[in-house]
Structures are given as C-alpha cells and as structure tokens.
C-alpha cells in the first residue's frame, strides 16, 4: 500500500487578471499559504509555463521547478486539457472549440489538429525535463454527438471512430513513451473516453499502449450514475492522476442526467466544493491507498454555489484529513511470529 501525496490544487480555475492569480509566483505563494503541497499547472497560458521553452530548454525547466520548489511546493502534473481536446474535434463542434485554438489555426480543422498534437508532444518533453511521470489531458471526441443514438448509429461507426482517435493519439503516446511519462486521460462526459467501456475501447484501439492511463475524477461518474468505487476495483492499475472534485445528483420529476439545458445551479446533477456533495471520499481514499495508487490528490474546484476563494481555503484541509497513512504492519502482528513448522503441524494435528 502507498500513502497518497497531497494536498495539491489544479490552478486552472483560479487563474485571473488580478493578483495573486495573475502570476506563477503569486499563485504559488497563495497556494502554499493555504496549505497545499503541490500544484497542477495548465499549459494554455505561457506566463505560467511556456511549452516552447520548456520543451527546448532544460535550464528553463530547472528554473521553473526551482521557483515552485522555493515556495515549498511541487509540480504534480502538467495539464493539456484544452490542447488534448483539440486533437479530436467532430465538425459539429468546430466553431465552439476554435475558441481554444490560437488565431493561426482557427477555421482550419486540419491545422488545428496538427497544432494540438505538436503541443501535447511538447508537454511530454517538458514533463520529462521537470522530472514528472504523469500528464493530465482530455482525449477529445469524434463520437460524442452519437452518445444517445438518434438516428441510430450505422454499423461500424464506433469502431471507425476509435480507430481514428487512436491514430491521432499514437504518435503522442509513442513520444510520451520515449520520455517516460504516462498520459492520463480524464474520463469525462463530452470526451470519447467518458466511462470504463469507452476507455477499454480506446486502449484496445491503441494496441494496449502502456502509456494509456487515466485521471480519476469521481464527480463525472456520479453525474453519469456510474459506480465510482467499483470503478477503482476495475481500473486501479491505470489510475495515475486523481482530481478531488465533489458533485451531487438530485433527480426530479422534471429532469435527470441530461439536465434539460438548465444552468449548473438548476441542474439535477451539479458540481460542488469538496465535502459539500455526495461523493464518498473516505471510500475513494481507502481504495486508492489499498491498491497502492501512487498519485497526488489534487483538488479541482468547480462549484455553482460556493466561491472559489472559500473552496480553495477548505480544499487543503479536506484533502489532508482524507489522506490515509498507509500501514506498514498488520494490526494483529502481535499474535504472529517466526514460522514454526513443528507448531503448525501440531495445530493441524499432523
């Protein structure tokens, strides 16, 4: 068994235009002051981390890591959620996802895909230079619009979709293999990798590539009404990153899983700050510890009621209080001792 690392915090939801949220130094000082021990860094803002420099310069990465370490923090993972999403975009979503693309590749899906693949590769190189072994991202989606099939999906569509998804990701996965870094796909609605079955489809399509792993976030499973504890029993060997994010699901006579296009505060399923929802975090931390998952417990704050400032203040002690110091001995060791073959034979009546 292993003791989980933490508490960590994903910076993406806290980046802003005002201090302390508008500089890496400010965010590090703020996070450390709240009791966090690690930060997960999004890579979409060059002032947080410049991927071009990080991929090409060990000195730059050493300086960046040293800056973070000077605040008593570690980098837990880099994140390319936005860039990973752009590796695979169905044309139905071209206009909306162009918002995440640089101006040079907007309105050019082929160029956008090539840019996304290249950018995620750079994050793999940067991760190695920073001494990281796991990377957080999204898979993107070619099939999501057919998730609830009407009209019905034609035979072979799903197989072709995962074949194409794997084709786009294999050069990235091979690059991460060369750099000794795991690709941790956040299993998430809106992505083609959104549950256990879809993860297995992708894994098979990549030839069981050993760098295909996952970021476990139970909030997305609760809102799908998926058994997020048994999920760990199935997939613990693939869990290489962990978001501590809470959620609640309160179906009514008017809406359920799909939410009726309502805003988040009015949905049956909605995200909450850790501890304010329905997720059994004691069960999750117990299972991850029992299975020896060597991961950082990283808070991702998304709540439609509580302020981010309060969520951040409460997140560090919440995670700290859930981390289990993995035992190195059995509680009944006092009853044991060295193997005594003669005594064993007497107990067995031999």
């Amino acid at each position: 068994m292993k003791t989980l690392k933490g508490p960590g915090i994903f910076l993406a939801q806290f980046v802003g235009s005002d201090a302390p949220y508008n500089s890496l130094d400010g965010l590090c000082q703020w996070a450390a002051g709240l009791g966090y021990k690690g930060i997960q860094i999004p890579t979409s803002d060059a002032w947080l981390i410049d991927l071009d420099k990080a991929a090409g310069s060990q000195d730059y990465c050493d300086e960046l890591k040293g800056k973070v370490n000077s605040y008593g923090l570690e980098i837990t993972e880099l994140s390319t959620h936005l860039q990973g999403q752009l590796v695979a975009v169905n044309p139905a979503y071209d206009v909306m996802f162009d918002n995440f693309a640089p101006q040079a590749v907007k309105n050019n899906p082929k160029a956008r895909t090539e840019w996304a693949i290249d950018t995620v590769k750079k994050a793999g190189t940067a991760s190695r230079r920073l001494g990281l072994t796991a990377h957080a991202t999204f898979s993107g989606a070619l099939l999501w619009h057919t998730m609830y099939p009407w009209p019905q999906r034609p035979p072979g569509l799903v197989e072709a979709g995962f074949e194409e998804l794997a084709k786009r990701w294999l050069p990235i996965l091979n690059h991460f293999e060369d750099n000794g870094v795991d690709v941790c796909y956040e299993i998430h609605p809106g992505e083609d990798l959104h549950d256990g079955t879809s993860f297995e489809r992708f894994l098979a399509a990549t030839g069981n590539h050993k760098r295909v792993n996952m970021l476990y976030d139970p909030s997305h499973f609760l809102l799908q009404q998926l058994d997020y504890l048994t999920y760990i029993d199935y997939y613990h060997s693939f869990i290489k990153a962990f978001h501590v994010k809470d959620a609640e699901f309160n179906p009514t006579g008017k809406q359920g899983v799909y939410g009726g296009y309502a805003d988040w505060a009015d949905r049956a399923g909605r995200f909450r700050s850790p501890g304010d929802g329905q997720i059994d975090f004691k069960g999750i931390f117990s299972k991850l510890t029992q299975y020896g998952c060597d991961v950082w417990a990283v808070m991702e704050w998304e709540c439609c009621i509580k302020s981010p400032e309060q969520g951040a203040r409460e997140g560090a002690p919440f995670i700290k209080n859930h981390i289990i110091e993995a035992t190195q001995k059995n509680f009944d060791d006092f009853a044991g001792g060295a193997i005594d073959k003669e005594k064993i034979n007497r107990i067995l009546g031999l």
Side-chain angles (χ1 to χ4, degrees), residues 91-107:
Y93 301 107
D94 271 340
V95 173
M96 290 184 288
F97 278 131
D98 256 359
N99 291 330
F100 299 142
Q103 190 62 42
V105 298
K106 288 183 187 292
N107 301 311

Side-chain angles (χ1 to χ4, degrees), residues 281-310:
F281 282 107
K282 286 187 176 180
I284 290 171
F285 276 77
S286 292
K287 280 186 177 288
L288 293 177
T289 303
Q290 172 189 341
Y291 283 119
C293 295
D294 188 13
V295 295
W296 275 89
V298 176
M299 187 193 77
E300 182 183 22
W301 177 87
E302 289 181 348
C303 184
C304 57
I305 296 177
K306 182 172 286 184
S307 73
E309 293 80 12
Q310 183 180 1

Side-chain angles (χ1 to χ4, degrees), residues 12-202:
Q13 285 80 15
F14 299 97
V15 168
S17 57
D18 299 322
Y21 311 112
N22 59 355
S23 71
L24 181 58
D25 283 291
L27 283 163
C28 285
Q29 186 175 23
W30 166 79
L34 293 176
Y36 291 99
K37 301 299 181 184
I39 54 172
Q40 188 177 87
I41 302 180
T43 59
S44 50
D45 291 303
W47 57 265
L48 276 175
I49 178 171
D50 187 318
L51 279 184
D52 289 329
K53 290 182 179 179
S57 170
Q58 186 61 51
D59 287 342
Y60 173 84
C61 288
D62 290 344
E63 291 173 7
L64 181 71
K65 185 177 180 180
K67 176 184 290 191
V68 173
N69 292 164
S70 72
Y71 291 95
L73 297 169
E74 294 183 48
I75 302 172
T76 66
E77 300 91 12
L78 300 181
S79 154
T80 56
H81 281 81
L82 298 185
Q83 302 98 320
Q85 181 75 63
L86 299 185
V87 169
V89 176
N90 186 280
Y93 301 107
D94 271 340
V95 173
M96 290 184 288
F97 278 131
D98 256 359
N99 291 330
F100 299 142
Q103 190 62 42
V105 298
K106 288 183 187 292
N107 301 311
N108 188 338
K110 185 176 185 294
R112 184 184 61 205
T113 298
E114 291 172 352
W115 171 85
I117 291 171
D118 181 62
T119 302
V120 179
K121 283 183 177 180
K122 289 176 180 176
T125 305
S127 293
R128 173 182 56 80
R129 292 189 183 279
L130 290 166
L132 305 176
T133 58
H135 177 74
T137 195
F138 276 149
S139 67
L142 301 173
L143 293 165
W144 178 253
H145 66 299
T146 72
M147 182 270 299
Y148 197 81
W150 176 248
Q152 62 268 37
R153 291 187 293 257
L157 176 67
V158 172
E159 291 76 10
F162 277 97
E163 181 181 345
E164 175 62 25
L165 189 66
K167 179 181 177 182
R168 298 189 189 192
W169 275 100
L170 276 169
I172 302 172
L173 291 165
N174 291 336
H175 181 78
F176 272 74
E177 168 65 12
D178 292 341
N179 284 275
V181 181
D182 289 319
V183 179
C184 303
Y185 296 99
E186 182 167 357
I187 309 303
H188 189 294
E191 311 302 311
D192 281 341
L193 277 63
H194 57 271
D195 59 12
T197 301
S198 55
F199 175 81
E200 290 180 14
R201 285 182 182 273
F202 180 72

